[in-house]
Amino acid sequence: MRLRIGLAILAAAGAASAAEPDPAKLAQARSLVAEAVALDRAEAAGRVPRAYAQALRENLVDGLDKLKQEPGLAGVVQAALADLRRRDTAALAALRDRLVAQERSHGRAD
Amino acid sequence: MGGLIEIVLGIMTAVGGFVDVSELTFAAQAGSRFGYSLLWVFALATVGIIVFGEMSGRVAAVARQPVFAAMRQRLGLGVGLFTLIASTMVSLVTCAAELGGMALVLKLAFSGEYRLWAAVSVVTLVVTVWVLPFKWIERLFGILGLAMLVYAAAAVALHPPWAEVARGLAPQFPLSAGRQDSLAYGYFVVAIASAVMFPYETYFYSSGGIEEHWTRKDLMVNRLTTGVGFSLGSLLAMAILIAAAVIFRPVHVGPQAPGTVVLEVAAPFGKTGVAFALFGMLLAFGGAAVETCLAAAYSVAQFFGWPWGRYRKPAETPRFTLAWLIAFLIAAALVMTGIEPLQLVEWSIVFSIVVLPLTYLPLLLIANDKKFMGTEANGWIANVLGWSFYVALAVAALAAIPLFVLTSGGQK
């Protein structure tokens, strides 16, 4: 019985830590989403050529794709990819702000 | 008049060739994360590269010794060989990063496949190096790379808070920052110093002095090229940091790719600015790819005593010619694996600072040696500055790898 309780506690702890994203990957995800917002706004204002916007967007999608398997990031990355494809800048900006708040709760100041 | 033109062209080449993919990326990331507070590192590291660059040019002109020949003499075979292997690997990884940067820029400008553009880039560079005389290889990339000045124009047009910019030039450390931010700040200090003082720059610069048959009459050209050219080039790198602090910091962008940095000029100048930036980046990265490739070939040829130099025909320098062709091939192969240019930049930055103390030690020893240098040996200013920077680089070299690991390359 004690062994089962111990194992259950260990499993719960493992699951909790697995849900916490690595700070470096969290920072990458936040930046990629923020870059997508900046790009969308620059494109909407007519300040960047179409070929540049398309190619940079592809880079951002590739970068986010690589983070899909990261613990604690899967949901937000999927949402970001969907918003990127829909060009939903407002949703991307909200996601960015959520990621910034998450980073700050982990002690990052900027 | 001819001499004045040479000096002006040399300075313009140094300015246009100063910023490569590493400086661009780290300047933008530094500005976006820490605002203006890392400007002092660019300023201080530029003094360092001026000191060592001038020394390497002076040694080339007076003692007719490029850096790697001096290294073998002064460090002996064992340490010299270790330095050769380490620095050649760093040059190859850096060359790959620059080639990857070129491919990214071409994709951003014209769409298409990244690997295809990488292949086009390396073929173009091989043909350029084969066909053009040395002086015109340098000038082509350096002068056309002056299109990068659009970043300097952008930094001014964005109206940064100049008082805060000025405060960023004073050495500082964020004492009130948390542990992780402090470690990341330390990493950026080391990384920026490494990016500005890359070892390949002195190998290439000193070998270039011999390629151009410098003598004592060229010592003033050497001083002006390094002093004025590198200073102006550094201002360009600082402009990229300043623009990033204005554009990216408020919106939490920490540029993950060179392509994003272009948004700094899109804000004030729109599509015209983007065109200038992409063109400038293509030439700047291309120039750096050529420099790193030739630096690797110079190092190997000089260490083993092979005939070398682009001023000679390829048939007179078969092993040197094969060395730079193989260097381009290895760099291209690294790019074709699909490794991100940013990842290559991280590795080249960290490992180059580890190699730097071994590179600059023989240079300091030879530049001080009156047997080789006569009346042109180091004066007290060059010695004080040279040895001070040497100690600082040795400390940075020890801290580089731990800081890289603890901060995941500055991302944490």
Side-chain angles (χ1 to χ4, degrees), chain A residues 22-24 27-28 30-32 34-35 38-39 42 46-49 51-52 55-56 58-59 66 96 100 104 107-110, chain B residues 33 104 107-109 111 181 249 251-257 259-260 262-263 266-271 274 278 340 408 411-412:
Chain A
D22 172 68
Q28 276 177 22
R30 180 262 305 155
S31 181
L32 289 166
E35 286 169 68
L39 175 63
R47 304 204 77 72
V48 294
Y52 168 83
L56 187 58
E58 269 175 40
N59 281 350
K66 286 177 184 142
R96 173 201 64 195
V100 169
R104 286 191 176 143
R108 186 151 158 169
D110 60 314
Chain B
R33 183 151 181 191
L104 270 177
K107 183 176 168 168
L108 288 166
S111 302
D181 280 328
R249 187 165 162 76
V251 292
H252 309 288
V253 168
Q256 298 296 304
T260 306
V262 175
L263 290 174
F269 301 132
K271 292 175 184 173
V274 171
L278 289 175
E340 293 283 337
S408 297
Q411 296 289 336
K412 276 188 187 166

Side-chain angles (χ1 to χ4, degrees), chain B residues 49-104:
Chain B
I49 192 63
I50 288 171
V51 168
F52 287 112
E54 188 279 332
M55 235 183 265
S56 71
R58 183 160 30 96
V59 168
V62 175
R64 309 286 299 150
Q65 287 245 19
V67 171
F68 249 98
M71 190 175 301
R72 181 165 176 174
Q73 264 187 34
R74 286 295 171 150
L75 298 182
L77 183 62
V79 176
L81 190 59
F82 171 78
T83 310
L84 173 70
I85 293 170
S87 65
T88 303
M89 283 171 60
V90 169
S91 291
L92 291 174
V93 170
T94 310
C95 186
E98 308 295 344
L99 277 178
M102 287 180 77
L104 270 177

